[in-house]
Amino acid sequence: MSVHLGEHNLRKRDGPEVLWTVARLVPHPCHEARSHRHDVMLPRLTRPTCLFPQVRPVALPTRCPQPGEACVVSGWGLVADDKPGTKGRARSQVSLPDMLHCANISVIPATSCSKDYPGRLMSTTVCAGVEGGGTDSCEVRAMGLGEQGDSGGPHTGWLVCGGVLQGIVSWGDVPCDTTNKPGVYAKVCSYLGWIRDTMKRN
């Protein structure tokens, strides 16, 4: 496995990309694939990275995300390719994009999200999307669904709020073009102790 730093277009060389190999993957010890519980993993690189304008670390949170907080989600997961008048088809036209996609979304209150996913949310997850749904939220969830490319963040499926990493794409409702439900993310603030401890030990 390798890590692409400074990547933007997967099909061509933009200039700032650097390829780093992964020495070891460290999944959360309590991860459950079926329920997506503790859907986080840390890669240990073979050597330290070099930082430059296109490659910088994202800050870890000092607090948990707040309902209504403005965020950005990005990724290279599947995106819907619907034409006008085709909304809600049994089969969506989806494709893997070459370019990094991002969208502005916001943190959805847990009480509201629990109505969309009764009994499925955990204290270690956070919901985000476009309030009321719509085209943008479908595109965001297509990037964010575990079944569609970005689960656990391998393709930069990250929820960044105010320049701080608050969520890692985990799962959501499928198919995205037939629902207005938000995406569900692993809540990074719940894993700070494990992240720091794992980094010290590796």
Side-chain angles (χ1 to χ4, degrees), residues 25 33 41 55 60 62 68 80 91 103 110 124 134 150 159 164-165 175 181 183:
L25 292 172
M41 178 185 292
V55 176
L60 289 174
T62 56
R91 284 181 179 271
T124 55
D150 280 359
L159 181 71
V164 174
L165 179 63
K181 296 180 182 179

Side-chain angles (χ1 to χ4, degrees), residues 101-121:
H101 280 76
C102 64
N104 295 317
I105 58 175
S106 60
V107 176
I108 305 294
T111 51
S112 174
C113 196
S114 292
K115 293 174 185 173
D116 288 324
Y117 302 113
R120 296 185 62 194
L121 298 180

Side-chain angles (χ1 to χ4, degrees), residues 46-64:
T46 53
R47 57 197 169 106
T49 61
C50 298
L51 300 180
F52 48 96
Q54 293 86 358
V55 176
R56 297 186 315 252
V58 63
L60 289 174
T62 56
R63 59 162 180 81
C64 290

Side-chain angles (χ1 to χ4, degrees), residues 7-88:
E7 188 63 83
H8 182 68
N9 188 324
L10 297 175
R11 304 283 180 214
K12 69 174 188 177
R13 181 108 178 139
D14 295 312
E17 304 95 325
V18 179
L19 191 67
W20 244 251
T21 53
V22 174
R24 184 176 174 223
L25 292 172
V26 185
H28 193 280
C30 299
H31 175 248
E32 296 174 7
R34 182 178 218 115
S35 66
H36 299 283
R37 185 182 297 273
H38 306 301
D39 194 13
V40 293
M41 178 185 292
L42 291 174
R44 185 188 192 283
L45 303 181
T46 53
R47 57 197 169 106
T49 61
C50 298
L51 300 180
F52 48 96
Q54 293 86 358
V55 176
R56 297 186 315 252
V58 63
L60 289 174
T62 56
R63 59 162 180 81
C64 290
Q66 303 300 306
E69 189 170 355
C71 306
V72 173
V73 63
S74 61
W76 285 278
L78 295 182
V79 291
D81 188 25
D82 289 331
K83 293 185 173 72
T86 60
K87 205 76 176 152

